[in-house]
Amino acid sequence: MERKNGSTIDGAGSLALDITILVGTMTGTAQLVAQELELRIDDGETRAQARLMDNLDAAVFEGGGLFLICSSTYGQGDVPDNAKQLYDSLVSRRPDLTPVRYGVIALGDRTYAETFCNGGRRFDRILSELGARRIGDILLHDASAGTMPEEVAAEWIGGWVTLCREQIGESASA
Ligand SMILES: Cc1cc2nc3c(=O)[nH]c(=O)nc-3n(C[C@H](O)[C@H](O)[C@H](O)COP(=O)(O)O)c2cc1C
């Protein structure tokens, strides 16, 4: 049985998750993170597909689903260029995203103290304003910390998927 939050329950009652990773990037770091996560997540019961945000708009969230926003930050704490159309269309169209569940990986650099990771945080703010529900805390990555974002994200993703299973599983049995 396919459901609106990106999960399917098979005949044996196990919960399969389908995660769409939406990638906002300028120089490819967020894409590298998403590609690493695609490999890590795919275990038969949980599938992930990465999509660059290029040319997407709010329609990508139509019908609900489980999304992982993976976005860097540019300019004055803005979303990257390839994410602008999607972000602006959420702000202007304001669709009801109640069936959407999402997580956020925000890439930034603490050198930009005032706007640290604002690209990902902006997506978090607009999605929650539109009724979508975040699962887990935002993963904030600081490029000046000397850690590799794909490694930090690979360590984080297992816990996030477990939380998704718990929260989506609970609402399935409620
Ligand atoms: C011109 C420029 C502006 C940036 N502005 C910000 C910013 O305002 N806030 C922030 O946290 N990081 C900022 N960053 C850091 C990037 O978001 C960070 O390096 C990120 O990992 C890049 O990911 P990407 O290759 O996927 O675009 C900026 C980087 C550059 C080169």
Side-chain angles (χ1 to χ4, degrees):
M1 179 181 53
E2 206 171 328
R3 300 153 73 234
K4 282 188 166 185
N5 52 21
S7 68
T8 310
I9 299 176
D10 68 17
S14 52
L15 186 71
L17 294 181
D18 266 306
I19 302 167
T20 303
I21 309 175
L22 296 179
V23 182
T25 184
M26 204 80 109
T27 55
T29 316
Q31 191 174 10
L32 202 68
V33 170
Q35 285 165 346
E36 177 68 29
L37 295 184
E38 264 185 328
L39 296 175
R40 297 263 171 168
I41 288 173
D42 253 324
D43 66 358
E45 284 215 308
T46 311
R47 292 177 297 267
Q49 194 192 11
R51 283 183 80 174
L52 286 168
M53 291 185 188
D54 304 58
N55 302 319
L56 295 181
D57 62 24
V60 73
F61 293 109
E62 252 168 37
L66 177 58
F67 294 86
L68 184 55
I69 306 294
C70 183
S71 175
S72 62
T73 306
Y74 278 85
Q76 311 291 318
D78 298 322
V79 301
D81 287 352
N82 83 318
K84 282 200 165 117
Q85 178 173 305
L86 173 60
Y87 180 78
D88 290 346
S89 118
L90 289 168
V91 171
S92 60
R93 286 206 232 157
R94 303 195 69 77
D96 173 14
L97 298 187
T98 311
V100 169
R101 301 289 175 273
Y102 70 96
V104 179
I105 297 177
L107 304 187
D109 187 324
R110 279 201 195 273
T111 316
Y112 302 87
E114 301 286 309
T115 58
F116 178 56
C117 282
N118 269 13
R121 292 190 218 254
R122 276 177 192 262
F123 271 108
D124 176 51
R125 208 169 306 127
I126 188 67
L127 289 173
S128 82
E129 270 177 38
L130 298 175
R133 286 231 304 271
R134 193 180 76 225
I135 296 179
D137 292 331
I138 303 179
L139 175 64
L140 303 171
H141 181 263
D142 174 11
S144 71
T147 55
M148 304 300 286
E150 63 275 23
E151 288 174 7
V152 174
E155 279 173 29
W156 172 88
I157 194 67
W160 185 73
V161 169
T162 302
L163 272 181
C164 291
R165 293 197 158 277
E166 285 169 7
Q167 295 189 18
I168 291 174
E170 264 170 29
S171 63
S173 57

